[in-house]
Amino acid sequence: MTERTRLTVDPIACDGRGLCAELLPEFIGLDDWGFPVIPARDVPAALRADAAAVARLCPRLALRLERAER
Amino acid sequence: MTAIVDSTRAPSPAGRILGPSGLPRLLPSDLAVGVDPAGLDRHLARHGARPCCAGDWRRRQRLIDEVDSAGLTGRGGAAFPTARKLRTLAAGPCPPVVVANGVEGEPASVKDKVLLASAPHLVLDGAACAAELTGAAEVVIVAHRAACETVRRAVAERRQVGCDPVPVRVQAAAAGFTAGEASAVVRWAHGGVPAPTGRPPRLGGPGRRPALVQNVETLTHLALIMRHGASWFRSAGTAAEPGSMLVTLLGAVARPGVYEVEPGTLVRDVLGLAGGTGQPLGALLIGGYFGTWAAAEAALPLPFSAAGLAAVGASPGAGVLAALPATACGLAEAARVTRYLAGSSAGQCGPCVFGLNAIAGALDRAAAGGGCDPATVRRWLRDVNGRGACRHPDGTAHMVASALRVFRAEIDLHGRGWCRATETAWVLPAGQGQP
């Protein structure tokens, strides 16, 4: 059984530093104002380790890697 | 419109009071006479005593089932089923706090202020019912400043008689549009800043009890359902959207104000309650500032209900119906409302702060004849949607998307330096300090 994970951002904590999009451009984009756009789908298995690192490295601690529901 | 006792109706589940037929149910029908309708005596004479909703688990469940079969939904705009909230909080591990949301930060809406000022005891009855149903230990009424004193007097009156089962506290609402968002109301009610938290109030927080947040109008319906039962409640409205609802009518109507209507009444007839429009209409803003713009000729023949208004992508929302005369500029009005909403952001989330400002800027430029690239604005609308801690960006984006649809011809015309409007009086209010 494979574990499914989602990356979520706390929009209040997020300051738009942009580190996440720089480290994980395969999954995280930026809007016109420099705030991360994170797809509402599971993180691909190949990117999971990187996503966990990005969540750890966020200077605002605004990212969370969560086990997806169901 | 007078209250007639219908003896054929079944006794209510919580009490034994027969329900009156017809509207209005909530607002006093003798407002025009000039009698103070807010007193406890008049309230009791009209509605009778509040039935007790306390009791063991099974009785409370049965009463919540009655709310469920009544089909009562939240009247603050989101139309969430009230019974589901009650059930969740009643089943929770600790006693919740009931928060009556009478903030009504939206400038276009006055129905909650009018309700609090003219029928405060019905709101307080509903809050007491909700407290008993959920086992709450406290009630906080967060009331708009305009109605605060009336509510305080009503609470004091009740305290003397001892008719509230739990302590009731009245708090003046914070000013501002986002101050009325459920989590912001709870935060404010507990001494915090009036900004959304991004966390559902029912979950509570560290050191804070879970909260049942209900719009004040919803509570008045709850108080009446506990008196008269679900089938009485359902004797008004449609099967899918039962009961009555308060609407604020404004703009090009003879008598702007608050009216009680049954969902399903034609939009044209709803406007007729305010004496009609007396002039050709251009567009309607339906549901409030998070609502939907619709061309008047498309919306006037539709039923004022979620099902009926779906034909123009609208819903009754917070019960606002603003009529824009054909002589006004819809684009300029929409731009002004958007600017107001952008300025009303709580300022916590980047996409809301910067995105709404960019969108408002684009509409301002379009209205001023500076041209507009609708594709860019539409991309921004997608970009802000769902990216805040609350629904402020989503609601604003919904309204702007409808403006882009309905005022497409105006946007083209303005881009070439023309405007069809023949008057520039602002129809929609846009908060303090603005015309």
Side-chain angles (χ1 to χ4, degrees):
Chain A
M1 200 181 100
T2 55
E3 195 180 300
R4 302 173 54 196
T5 51
R6 290 238 168 151
L7 198 57
T8 59
V9 61
D10 174 350
I12 297 179
C14 176
D15 236 0
R17 306 281 180 99
L19 189 68
C20 54
E22 212 157 303
L23 294 176
L24 196 60
E26 305 93 324
F27 196 66
I28 303 177
L30 292 179
D31 64 19
D32 286 9
W33 311 287
F35 288 83
V37 180
I38 299 172
R41 54 182 159 83
D42 295 350
V43 179
L47 295 178
R48 208 169 290 149
D50 289 349
V54 161
R56 262 199 318 278
L57 289 169
C58 171
R60 298 279 305 159
L61 301 178
L63 288 170
R64 252 205 326 264
L65 197 63
E66 297 171 327
R67 233 194 308 263
E69 304 284 319
R70 289 190 305 122
Chain B
M1 298 284 269
T2 47
I4 302 156
V5 174
D6 183 350
S7 56
T8 61
R9 296 206 191 286
S12 78
R16 296 216 161 250
I17 306 153
L18 303 167
S21 61
L23 298 188
R25 290 176 166 185
L26 310 178
L27 298 174
S29 47
D30 50 4
L31 266 179
V33 185
V35 191
D36 173 28
L40 185 56
D41 290 347
R42 289 197 58 81
H43 166 74
L44 291 173
R46 177 160 186 229
H47 296 289
R50 181 184 73 84
C52 174
C53 303
D56 59 13
W57 171 252
R58 197 179 299 167
R59 176 165 196 265
R60 291 191 288 139
Q61 284 300 307
R62 194 161 47 76
L63 292 174
I64 294 175
D65 286 345
E66 189 76 14
V67 180
D68 199 0
S69 38
L72 176 62
T73 55
R75 297 294 200 255
F80 189 83
T82 304
R84 272 197 6 226
K85 275 196 197 176
L86 291 171
R87 205 165 273 142
T88 307
L89 272 297
C94 56
V97 52
V98 171
V99 178
N101 186 353
V103 177
E104 199 169 48
E106 167 149 354
S109 182
V110 294
K111 60 132 180 142
D112 291 338
K113 300 171 197 79
V114 166
L115 185 64
L116 283 168
S118 58
H121 286 288
L122 206 52
V123 176
L124 293 164
D125 277 358
C129 291
E132 287 178 338
L133 291 173
T134 58
E138 191 196 6
V139 166
V140 187
I141 315 281
V142 185
H144 189 277
R145 293 224 315 270
C148 219
E149 267 323 295
T150 312
V151 180
R152 276 191 224 281
R153 268 201 308 278
V155 170
E157 214 178 347
R158 294 163 79 91
R159 204 169 285 145
Q160 284 185 341
V161 195
C163 59
D164 281 321
V166 296
V168 180
R169 181 158 65 84
V170 182
Q171 185 165 342
F177 193 91
T178 44
E181 193 270 343
S183 68
V185 179
V186 174
R187 203 177 190 180
W188 174 252
H190 291 87
V193 293
T197 63
R199 227 179 117 75
R202 67 183 152 80
L203 295 178
R208 191 208 285 162
R209 289 194 301 272
L212 172 80
V213 186
Q214 293 286 5
N215 168 266
V216 289
E217 185 196 335
T218 315
L219 290 172
T220 59
H221 289 293
L222 176 65
L224 292 178
I225 290 168
M226 289 296 99
R227 279 178 169 84
H228 310 308
S231 52
W232 167 83
F233 184 75
R234 285 186 162 277
S235 66
T238 69
E241 294 160 69
S244 63
M245 69 180 295
L246 296 179
V247 293
T248 308
L249 304 181
L250 73 157
V253 288
R255 293 185 302 276
V258 177
Y259 297 85
E260 191 171 340
V261 303
E262 299 188 38
T265 312
L266 298 185
V267 171
R268 175 183 291 125
D269 297 336
V270 174
L271 291 172
L273 292 172
T277 59
Q279 57 179 312
L281 296 184
L284 300 174
L285 179 58
I286 304 167
Y289 285 2
F290 285 171
T292 310
W293 287 97
E297 71 268 18
L300 286 173
L302 298 178
F304 190 73
S305 64
L309 294 169
V312 289
S315 81
V320 171
L321 198 49
L324 207 62
T327 52
C329 177
L331 174 57
E333 291 285 343
R336 214 159 131 276
V337 172
T338 309
R339 176 53 69 196
Y340 166 76
L341 290 173
S344 299
S345 166
Q348 303 187 106
C349 307
C352 183
V353 172
F354 299 101
L356 296 195
N357 190 49
I359 292 161
L363 289 197
D364 282 342
R365 270 193 303 284
C372 176
D373 173 18
T376 303
V377 180
R378 268 193 285 272
R379 178 166 59 79
W380 287 342
L381 297 180
R382 280 196 301 275
D383 278 351
V384 299
N385 193 51
R387 302 220 11 254
C390 73
R391 315 283 290 175
H392 191 70
D394 313 33
T396 307
H398 175 90
M399 185 276 293
V400 173
S402 71
L404 293 183
R405 278 197 310 272
V406 172
F407 303 128
R408 191 183 306 162
E410 274 87 343
I411 292 171
D412 285 347
L413 212 57
H414 279 243
R416 286 178 274 129
W418 297 97
C419 176
R420 264 202 292 257
T422 54
E423 60 171 335
T424 55
W426 299 121
V427 176
L428 293 165
Q432 289 168 333
Q434 295 191 49

